[in-house]
Amino acid sequence: MKFVASLRSWIISVLRRSRVERDMDEELRFHIEQYAGDLVRAGMSAADARRRAHVEFGAIEARKDECREAIGLRLADEVTGDVRYAFRQLRRAPAFAAIAVLTMALGIGATTTLFSVTYGVLLNPLPWPEADRLVRLTESRAGHDPRVRGTISNGPYIAWHARGSTIEAIGGWLNGAVTGSIAGGEAARFRIASVTPTLFTVLKARPLVGRLFADDDVPPNSGVASRRLIILSFGLWQERFGGGPDAIGRILQIDGKPTTVVGVMPREFAFPDRETRAWLPFTVPSVRGDVGVTRITIFQALARLRPGVTPEQASAEGTARARAAPDPGLAARAMFGSDGPAEIRAVPAIDQMTADVMPALMVLLAAVILLLVTATANVASLQLARATTRHREIAIRAAIGAGASRLTRQLVVESSILGVLGGAGGLGLAAALDRALPSVLPADFPRVEAIRMDVRVLLFAVGVSMVVSVGCGLLPAVQARRVHLVESLSDDGSAPVGGGLRSRTARTRAFIMTGQLAISCMLLVGAALLTRSFVALLRADRGYDPTNVLTAQIPLPDGFPIERRTAMLEALAGRLRAVPGVRDVAYGNALPLLTVGGYAAFKMRPPSNPDTEVQVDAIERGVSPGYFAALGLHLAAGRTFNDADTATSPMVVIVNRSFAARYLGATPIGAVIPHLGMCRGDDDRWEVVGVVGDVHQGSVADPVQPELFLPFRQIGCPAAVAQPILVVRTAADPLPLVGVLRGVFHQQEPALALDSVMTMEDRVMTTLAKPRLYAVVLVGFGAFALVIAGVGLFGMLSYNVAQRAREIGVRTALGAQPLDIAALVFRQVAVIGVVGIGVGLAMSFIVTSALASVLYGVAPHDAASFAAAPLILAAIAGLSCVAPIRRAARMDPLKALR
Amino acid sequence: VGKQAELFQGTLDLLILKAVSLGALHGYGILLRIQQISKDRLEIQQGSLYPALYRLEHQGFIASEWGESDNKRKAKYYRLTPAGRRQLQESARTWNEMTDIIAGILGTKPEEV
């Protein structure tokens, strides 16, 4: 109660400052006049009475001060005075203020942005109710991961779906793309997800309009809906139906088939990502099909844990259920590369989504903290230098009665103002960066939509600003407490003779400088490592030549006749070959970084050892004769396909080096491979006619798989190639030919649309967007640290030379040569530089091991990176001491001594 | 002057509260009333009255208002607030207890120890 009353009274007094003063004046005057009046009435003369009244009242100003203090105005007044004074001081040193505020703004801005990204991506819960109970399921067989990362196969899914004690629900989905149109409207290709009806249960999602899929929308085991149904995203609904409720029940043409709209999801429903525009029903087929064939499908799956269940318990149950499920036998080998016992791993959904970026984010977060420390140190060092030149001012203030706490408060207020300005600037920078993030972050960066400038980020920025202000204001304040009145007032501003580092301030600054160099060194080593890693990724031999190659996908509607497919592709290739600037045109069903093709698993007797049957797992694809030349694959032995390899000629196959080495031994050419998929008979015999070099289908960091290439024209069924790809090698930059390609295609096939038209180089660069971003960010941090270290060093040396002007003058007068003077200054740089860089290298050596997971082709202790960083730092240190050394060496002793 | 008693530390607040509890007064009036009811046996440093008034008002024990004095001049009048009344009772009780104890101690004879 008392506190509330006081606070209220204090706020009122502060707000009505001038009124408080007026009232106080009037009240005291009234008292004195009243007393004087009484004295007059007692018989005193008017003049005597007034004098007496004043004397008895005492010192009016001192009383007023006591009154102000009594209502807590004194502190407010003093701080207001401090703030005004601080602003005056900062205005008097605009360069210092600008550098300090800018350094802080950049440091705080970078830290805040990285915090908002890290928080948003790694810690913000997923946008589903009770999202912490969602787990992603991954199946492995005898330690072999599935061909598609993070998937589960149909057997374990169905077994667990039938009965689960640790999970409430389980749902699966497959990502895809379809061509859709309303009757008569323009066709467009968009991304969809085929989802089991239970997936919505797992996510606890509700439709905005209409309904979700029901279990009986898809008859069990068929995998095909009797009636085709679709749920629209909010965006697609707006776009195609103008957001009208009559969309329910309307018919869309999806991949040429009439499909009924049953529901619309709310705007914020984005599953699995923002790009998914609609959902089709998906039924997981059982392992034993109707006609006794064994089926295995892999797809992504999500489960909701029962409350209190850990992912480990769910993993254990999943594994047990998977092992009790029907065994897909050999078919498992095609999907897992092993038919060993299944194992199910349940990982919190958020962890699985962000596993890819977490190590890099942690590295960048550590780097930005180092950056913030060095930025703070820089401002502290500047403050320290100012505190020294303000020695006299501070001493005078102390001499006329300012106590140590008063002086400290003054300095704290000054650095708080810097902190507030820097923090505001940093927050502005972070807000601007935050807005730019969606376009800056790579398309495959997870959870970009979860990054927000919210209250937490704001609080973080404020907290960081406060820590930074205190951090950089504390040192000068501590220094100020040690003011020695007599010494300071008699000081003439020169350092003690011989004392580059004799004064406490100079030593502290040198120490800070050493630390800044060490941090810069660490950041530069990190930047060098990430840059070299990125260059290694860029230059890595992928097994194909991505320059001057234009690629595209040709989605074909279901039931597109197989004969027409080959004829269409041949005709298209013929027309494109006639275009000037085109070197090779090829087609197939697989393209690195786009689509892998199929998988084959079979048994064969290797020619090198015909007595034992071995199990073969390989990637299998169909390509046109020009495929190898168009993509620039290296032919290691034998021949590539030619026009004589047709549907009726003997069946031939080309293998990659890995396949040859693993299964065929020393003489691969002429070996016979018994059975392959691609819808040919079981008694097929494919003769190996060539061996090509290994190709990295995805990231260069992933291991190469054994591969088989079949002539496109010898593939027996249409299902194997629903979306052929087109490869066009050009003589020069292929981009100008994109229009020609589209034109030629549209002219020939007006009913079809090209998809994913991209140069091969762009496909490569897209996969490198993340490493490139990390490298760019760390290089930026390194450059920033380097600049402030350089400027700091320059400032410190210039200052020292100015302080030691008299000493240098005396030395010169006594016969020291310019070289001796230069050595005097240089020695200081050398000591700071050697110690700083040495410490930096040692620290880098310790911490770069943590980078191992984000590096490719570069060891964490890469010699070149560890050599480059010190060289750059030494160059900057050398550069920063040129001007101070020159000034020292050219100093006129007469002037300096005057 | 010499025969007037000096105030104990902190008792000024108590006296002010008591003075205004008898009716709203301006600062000078408070001074006069204390002197009057103490029959001029207490002397209060005139200037020291105001910091005490400001502090008491800041703590919410008294409230002030501008009014007109007997001789038609504008004056700031103080009155007791409910919180001030409680504080006055509490302080008076403590004070009485204290003086009792001290009087008891001072009245102690050697044979009683």
Side-chain angles (χ1 to χ4, degrees):
Chain A
M1 270 310 283
K2 204 170 125 183
F3 172 75
V4 174
S6 302
L7 187 69
R8 206 172 125 250
S9 139
W10 184 78
I11 290 170
I12 292 172
S13 326
V14 169
L15 291 179
R16 299 191 182 155
R17 194 68 187 85
S18 55
R19 169 123 174 248
V20 169
E21 290 294 320
R22 260 202 328 271
D23 285 1
M24 204 184 323
D25 269 346
E26 196 158 339
E27 189 176 14
L28 300 190
R29 204 170 56 233
F30 171 81
H31 179 110
I32 290 167
E33 282 169 11
Q34 207 71 2
Y35 185 39
D38 282 356
L39 288 174
V40 167
R41 270 189 287 285
M44 204 176 273
S45 79
D48 278 354
R50 189 166 309 139
R51 199 177 313 119
R52 170 90 183 272
H54 269 287
V55 168
E56 278 195 28
F57 192 84
I60 293 182
E61 283 308 316
R63 291 313 183 194
K64 280 189 183 172
D65 249 1
E66 283 175 39
C67 289
R68 291 184 196 117
E69 197 168 359
I71 57 174
L73 274 181
R74 189 171 150 174
L75 184 70
D77 287 351
E78 280 181 3
V79 171
T80 316
D82 285 346
V83 169
R84 252 188 232 129
Y85 184 76
F87 268 113
R88 217 157 51 224
Q89 288 295 326
L90 290 179
R91 250 206 321 271
R92 213 177 285 162
F96 158 77
I99 291 180
V101 169
L102 201 69
T103 313
M104 279 195 185
L106 284 173
I108 294 171
T111 312
T112 305
T113 305
L114 220 70
F115 171 79
S116 79
V117 172
T118 312
Y119 184 84
V121 173
L122 300 186
L123 299 178
N124 234 359
L126 294 174
W128 320 109
E130 295 158 85
D132 54 327
R133 288 201 275 132
L134 294 179
V135 286
R136 271 289 297 272
L137 307 175
T138 302
E139 181 178 346
S140 60
R141 286 186 177 255
H144 289 252
D145 285 332
R147 302 274 192 199
V148 178
R149 260 211 312 183
T151 53
I152 180 172
S153 70
N154 45 344
Y157 178 92
I158 289 171
W160 207 1
H161 182 254
R163 108 178 39 174
S165 54
T166 58
I167 57 170
E168 278 176 5
I170 180 170
W173 80 96
L174 273 170
N175 294 322
V178 294
T179 307
S181 67
I182 310 183
E186 195 187 324
R189 234 179 132 66
F190 48 81
R191 283 181 52 178
I192 55 108
S194 299
V195 299
T196 62
T198 51
L199 190 70
F200 296 106
T201 319
V202 172
L203 295 174
K204 294 199 172 180
R206 302 255 165 283
L208 181 69
V209 186
R211 64 170 178 96
L212 299 171
F213 297 133
D215 284 335
D216 52 5
D217 280 342
V218 192
N221 290 340
S222 78
V224 182
S226 51
R227 197 162 65 105
R228 293 173 169 264
L229 305 175
I230 189 168
I231 294 175
L232 306 179
S233 67
F234 186 84
L236 195 62
W237 179 50
Q238 294 289 329
E239 214 172 87
R240 291 293 161 122
F241 296 99
D246 59 333
I248 306 302
R250 294 275 295 272
I251 306 291
L252 273 175
Q253 295 293 321
I254 297 294
D255 282 342
K257 301 244 164 44
T259 309
T260 312
V261 176
V262 296
V264 176
M265 294 311 285
R267 186 200 292 269
E268 51 299 344
F269 184 84
F271 187 89
D273 52 36
R274 286 252 150 240
E275 272 67 54
T276 304
R277 320 236 27 216
W279 297 271
L280 298 175
F282 167 54
T283 293
V284 177
S286 61
V287 175
R288 303 268 176 260
D290 306 331
V291 287
V293 289
T294 302
R295 277 186 303 205
I296 185 164
T297 319
I298 52 174
F299 52 92
Q300 280 145 323
L302 203 58
R304 180 174 286 276
L305 301 179
R306 288 188 193 280
V309 170
T310 64
E312 290 72 31
Q313 290 167 325
S315 301
E317 193 202 356
T319 302
R321 302 262 179 237
R323 290 186 182 171
D327 185 12
L330 259 184
R333 297 196 68 104
M335 292 302 177
F336 293 90
S338 162
D339 52 7
E343 191 153 328
I344 301 291
R345 204 165 60 244
V347 180
I350 189 166
D351 292 359
Q352 167 110 5
M353 279 179 88
T354 56
D356 189 25
V357 294
M358 195 181 84
L361 278 180
M362 289 294 120
V363 167
L364 292 185
L365 204 59
V368 89
I369 288 169
L370 285 180
L371 190 73
L372 187 68
V373 168
T374 183
T376 308
N378 193 49
V379 178
S381 172
L382 285 173
Q383 288 264 53
L384 215 51
R386 259 166 51 84
T388 319
T389 45
R390 288 169 64 187
H391 233 115
R392 281 172 88 85
E393 173 209 331
I394 290 170
I396 289 169
R397 289 176 54 129
I400 59 175
S405 68
R406 197 63 223 281
L407 287 175
T408 310
R409 193 164 71 207
Q410 170 63 41
L411 290 166
V412 168
V413 165
E414 264 180 50
S415 40
S416 304
I417 287 176
L418 287 177
V420 167
L421 291 177
L427 207 57
L429 181 70
L433 280 175
D434 226 61
R435 196 158 309 160
L437 275 179
S439 52
V440 171
L441 291 178
D444 57 347
F445 203 89
R447 310 201 63 206
V448 175
E449 70 282 353
I451 305 170
R452 276 191 305 268
M453 289 288 285
D454 57 7
V455 180
R456 280 193 203 84
V457 176
L458 213 66
L459 284 179
F460 176 85
V462 170
V464 167
S465 310
M466 274 162 61
V467 169
V468 167
S469 338
V470 170
C472 65
L474 218 55
L475 267 180
V478 168
Q479 210 80 10
R481 277 180 174 277
R482 300 216 184 86
V483 172
H484 204 285
L485 273 188
V486 179
E487 222 171 67
S488 302
L489 289 175
S490 60
D491 190 6
D492 60 358
S494 344
V497 171
L501 295 175
R502 286 262 169 98
S503 80
R504 183 186 297 274
T505 308
R507 273 202 305 274
T508 314
R509 286 197 78 191
F511 180 72
I512 293 177
M513 202 60 244
T514 312
Q516 282 188 270
L517 285 178
I519 287 179
S520 304
C521 184
M522 290 169 74
L523 288 175
L524 285 177
V525 168
L529 285 172
L530 284 194
T531 308
R532 277 174 57 78
S533 164
F534 170 67
V535 170
L537 280 169
L538 194 63
R539 295 224 181 118
D541 182 8
R542 291 157 197 284
Y544 56 92
D545 176 12
T547 50
N548 297 342
V549 176
L550 192 59
T551 60
Q553 204 161 23
I554 309 172
L556 299 178
D558 280 356
F560 196 83
I562 187 162
E563 315 76 39
R564 254 196 73 200
R565 184 187 61 199
T566 312
M568 182 267 280
L569 290 168
E570 268 306 314
L572 185 64
R575 280 166 204 254
L576 288 172
R577 275 193 202 98
V579 174
V582 170
R583 287 227 170 124
D584 283 302
V585 181
Y587 51 89
N589 71 342
L591 188 68
L593 304 174
L594 181 61
T595 155
V596 167
Y599 298 102
F602 53 88
K603 287 194 163 76
M604 70 174 270
R605 296 183 180 278
S608 52
N609 186 10
D611 298 335
T612 52
E613 206 175 41
V614 297
Q615 177 62 44
V616 177
D617 305 295
I619 294 171
E620 174 186 71
R621 63 217 13 188
V623 298
S624 77
Y627 186 86
F628 304 95
L631 264 185
L633 266 54
H634 316 294
L635 183 68
R639 65 168 176 96
T640 58
F641 300 137
N642 55 43
D643 289 338
D645 300 316
T646 63
T648 51
S649 68
M651 290 179 286
V652 290
V653 62
I654 292 173
V655 301
N656 73 349
R657 272 181 192 279
S658 291
F659 189 99
R662 192 177 302 179
Y663 302 118
L664 300 181
T667 53
I669 305 292
V672 170
I673 293 173
H675 164 75
L676 286 177
M678 297 289 184
C679 312
R680 303 294 295 237
D682 272 2
D683 52 349
D684 291 348
R685 292 173 57 81
W686 301 72
E687 188 189 345
V688 176
V689 294
V691 177
V692 292
D694 288 339
V695 166
H696 288 279
Q697 299 297 333
S699 161
V700 278
D702 296 340
V704 180
Q705 310 263 3
E707 291 172 7
L708 292 162
F709 295 88
L710 282 56
F712 196 85
R713 276 177 285 191
Q714 293 183 347
I715 298 176
C717 59
V721 194
Q723 296 190 22
I725 54 93
L726 194 64
V727 183
V728 180
R729 175 166 290 280
T730 56
D733 181 13
L735 271 183
L737 287 175
V738 170
V740 181
L741 170 64
R742 284 187 186 282
V744 168
F745 184 77
H746 185 73
Q747 200 187 350
Q748 183 189 315
E749 304 290 336
L752 297 178
L754 279 180
D755 198 17
S756 183
V757 181
M758 243 173 138
T759 68
M760 205 59 208
E761 262 178 333
D762 283 346
R763 290 196 197 281
V764 172
M765 285 314 289
T766 306
T767 65
L768 299 185
K770 273 186 281 194
R772 182 177 57 187
L773 178 75
Y774 303 150
V776 166
V777 170
L778 211 52
V779 166
F781 288 175
F784 179 45
L786 194 62
V787 167
I788 59 176
V791 171
L793 203 54
F794 169 79
M796 191 192 92
L797 292 172
S798 306
Y799 175 81
N800 282 357
V801 168
Q803 289 258 294
R804 296 170 76 184
R806 178 169 301 182
E807 180 199 343
I808 292 170
V810 170
R811 282 178 187 262
T812 314
L814 290 178
Q817 296 301 305
L819 210 60
D820 303 326
I821 303 296
L824 203 65
V825 180
F826 184 73
R827 204 174 309 142
Q828 232 183 315
V829 189
V831 170
I832 292 175
V834 167
V835 175
I837 294 173
V839 170
L841 282 180
M843 297 292 289
S844 306
F845 197 81
I846 297 169
V847 300
T848 48
S849 320
L851 285 173
S853 63
V854 294
L855 293 180
Y856 169 82
V858 180
H861 295 150
D862 172 51
S865 302
F866 273 79
L871 283 180
I872 295 171
L873 271 174
I876 288 292
L879 211 61
S880 67
C881 71
V882 170
I885 284 183
R886 186 176 295 168
R887 181 132 34 94
R890 289 193 183 157
M891 207 170 267
D892 183 350
L894 281 180
K895 259 190 211 159
L897 287 174
R898 192 174 291 150
Chain B
V1 177
K3 53 186 188 308
Q4 283 175 324
E6 298 252 333
L7 275 179
F8 282 117
Q9 195 79 34
T11 44
L12 180 58
D13 288 5
L14 179 57
L15 294 180
I16 291 172
L17 291 178
K18 181 66 195 172
V20 295
S21 74
L22 305 170
L25 286 169
H26 51 66
Y28 184 63
I30 294 171
L31 192 75
L32 291 181
R33 169 142 325 151
I34 293 173
Q35 280 175 349
Q36 177 218 333
I37 51 185
S38 74
K39 304 195 178 66
D40 282 336
R41 284 187 299 171
L42 271 180
E43 190 204 15
I44 293 162
Q45 251 285 298
Q46 297 197 14
S48 66
L49 183 68
Y50 288 92
L53 284 172
Y54 273 71
R55 186 171 51 247
L56 287 170
E57 185 178 8
H58 185 61
Q59 292 169 339
F61 297 144
I62 55 177
S64 68
E65 212 170 25
W66 285 91
E68 210 166 64
S69 73
D70 305 337
N71 53 358
K72 305 288 173 212
R73 282 204 46 190
K74 220 175 104 183
K76 197 173 171 191
Y77 280 87
Y78 293 93
R79 60 179 169 74
L80 204 61
T81 63
R85 191 164 302 282
R86 281 195 299 276
Q87 174 72 9
L88 175 59
Q89 284 163 1
E90 173 69 23
S91 299
R93 201 180 50 77
T94 317
W95 176 262
N96 287 334
E97 225 174 84
M98 199 69 189
T99 46
D100 246 27
I101 294 168
I102 290 175
I105 292 170
L106 294 180
T108 312
K109 293 178 188 104
E111 59 269 27
E112 286 174 325
V113 180

